[in-house]
Amino acid sequence: MKLLRYGPKGQERPGLLDAEGRVRSLSGIIPDLAGEALLPGSLRRIAALDEAALPLVEGRPQQGLRLGPCVAGTQKFIAIGLNYADHAAESGMAVPAEPVVFNKWTSSISGPDDDVELPRGSVKTDWEVELGVVIGQGGRYIDEARALEHVAGYCVVNDVSEREWQTERGGTWDKGKGFDTFGPVGPWLVTPDEAGDVAALGMWLEVDGKRMQTGSTATMIFGVAEIIAYVSRFLSLTPGDILTTGTPPGVGMGMRPPRYLKAGEVVRLGIDGLGVQTQRVVAPR
C-alpha cells in the first residue's frame, strides 16, 4: 500500500493511493497515520479494505492536492550520517566503524512538496536524498534478525542540512540539521510488501533540473535492520518514529568549489517505488 496524508498544513487527513493514482479517504477507518494505526494489525486491516468502496478525494495528489508528511505523531526523527562510503569520502571523513547517529527535530518535518526555507544568515544550506524508515511496532534492544518486523513502511526524506551550523559552530551536527522545513517526508508511506528490496533502490536528486545525486541503497554501509537494532540499544522506538538512513555522494558540500542552495531554486528528488518530492527554496522570513 501507499499511505498518505492530504490537506492544508495542520489539517491533514489520512488516505491511501489507489491503483489509478487517486486518493481515497481513510478518515472513517483511522484517526490519522499515527500511533496504533501504524501497528501491524492495523495495517493488515487497512490492506484488506476494498479501496473502491472508500470515499474518493477531490483533486490529484501533488497536482493541486497538497500532501502533508506521510506520518503523524512522530516522537523521534533520527538520522544516520556518513552511511555511504563514497559520501564519507567526498565529505573528507573516515568511513565509520559504527553508525553515526544524530537528531533532526520533529519541528523540521514538512510535506514532500512544501517550501524549504533558508535559515537567517545561511550561506551553506545543502541537500541530501535519503531512504526513510517509519517504525510501526516499537521496542528496545530489538534483535537485528527480526528488526524488519518493526517497520511500518518506507518513504523519501530530504535531509536538508546547513553545513556551517553542522560542522563549524561549536560541535554537534544537530544544530545544522533541524531547522524548520529541513525534513520533507513523503509523498507516501510505502508498506514493506510493496516497497521491494530496500537494499537495492535507485535514488536521485536534482537542483533546477541538473542532476546532483545518483545512487543506490545497495551501497549503504549499515543496512536497515542493522540500523534499527543499533539505535534501539540507546532508546525505545515508538510507532511513527522516523529513521533516515544516509545519502549517496553528490551533495553541495562535496563539490569543488562547494555549491549551496539559493532562494528561488527548485529541488526534485526521488527513490524507486517510493515517489518524488519537489521543493522550492525560499528566503528566510
Side-chain angles (χ1 to χ4, degrees), residues 5-12 62-71 106-118 156-158 160 179-187 261 265-269 276-283 285:
R5 300 173 66 249
Y6 65 92
K9 292 182 182 180
Q11 301 175 43
E12 293 93 346
Q62 301 185 287
Q63 298 178 31
L65 177 61
R66 176 188 176 269
L67 298 183
C70 61
V71 63
T106 56
S107 54
S108 73
I109 296 173
S110 58
D113 305 314
D114 292 345
D115 293 345
V116 167
E117 180 183 331
L118 297 173
V156 182
V157 174
N158 188 356
V160 187
F179 288 98
D180 289 359
T181 76
F182 271 30
V185 174
L261 292 170
E265 293 182 322
V266 175
V267 180
R268 292 186 73 247
L269 58 150
V276 173
Q277 301 183 353
T278 304
Q279 294 114 29
R280 183 170 58 100
V281 182
V282 300
R285 290 183 290 180

Side-chain angles (χ1 to χ4, degrees), residues 8 29 36 47 49 67 69 72-73 90 109 119 125 151 170 172 186 214 225 239 264:
I29 310 299
E36 292 184 1
L49 296 172
L67 298 183
E90 73 172 350
I109 296 173
T125 295
V151 176
T172 76
T214 302

Side-chain angles (χ1 to χ4, degrees), residues 17 24 138 214 231 234 248 262 280:
L17 193 72
R24 299 281 176 167
T214 302
V231 169
F234 310 110
K262 300 178 180 63
R280 183 170 58 100

Side-chain angles (χ1 to χ4, degrees), residues 97-136:
E98 296 187 30
V100 175
V101 181
F102 60 92
N103 288 301
K104 289 180 75 74
W105 316 125
T106 56
S107 54
S108 73
I109 296 173
S110 58
D113 305 314
D114 292 345
D115 293 345
V116 167
E117 180 183 331
L118 297 173
R120 293 180 182 179
S122 169
V123 293
K124 296 183 179 181
T125 295
D126 207 345
W127 56 82
E128 295 190 7
V129 59
E130 303 200 2
L131 171 68
V133 181
V134 176
I135 296 297

Side-chain angles (χ1 to χ4, degrees), residues 77-88 90 96 99-102 104 127-133 155-159 161 163 173 177 201 203 213 215-224 227 243-249 251 269 271:
F77 192 1
I78 302 164
I80 305 300
L82 304 177
N83 197 27
Y84 290 71
D86 35 13
H87 171 57
E90 73 172 350
V100 175
V101 181
F102 60 92
K104 289 180 75 74
W127 56 82
E128 295 190 7
V129 59
E130 303 200 2
L131 171 68
V133 181
C155 61
V156 182
V157 174
N158 188 356
D159 177 19
S161 309
R163 302 301 189 186
W173 286 11
K177 293 286 191 169
L201 298 179
M203 52 206 308
Q213 290 185 275
S216 170
T217 58
T219 63
M220 288 199 302
I221 299 167
F222 307 105
V224 172
I227 290 169
L243 305 177
T244 190
T245 57
T247 197
V251 300
L269 58 150
I271 298 178

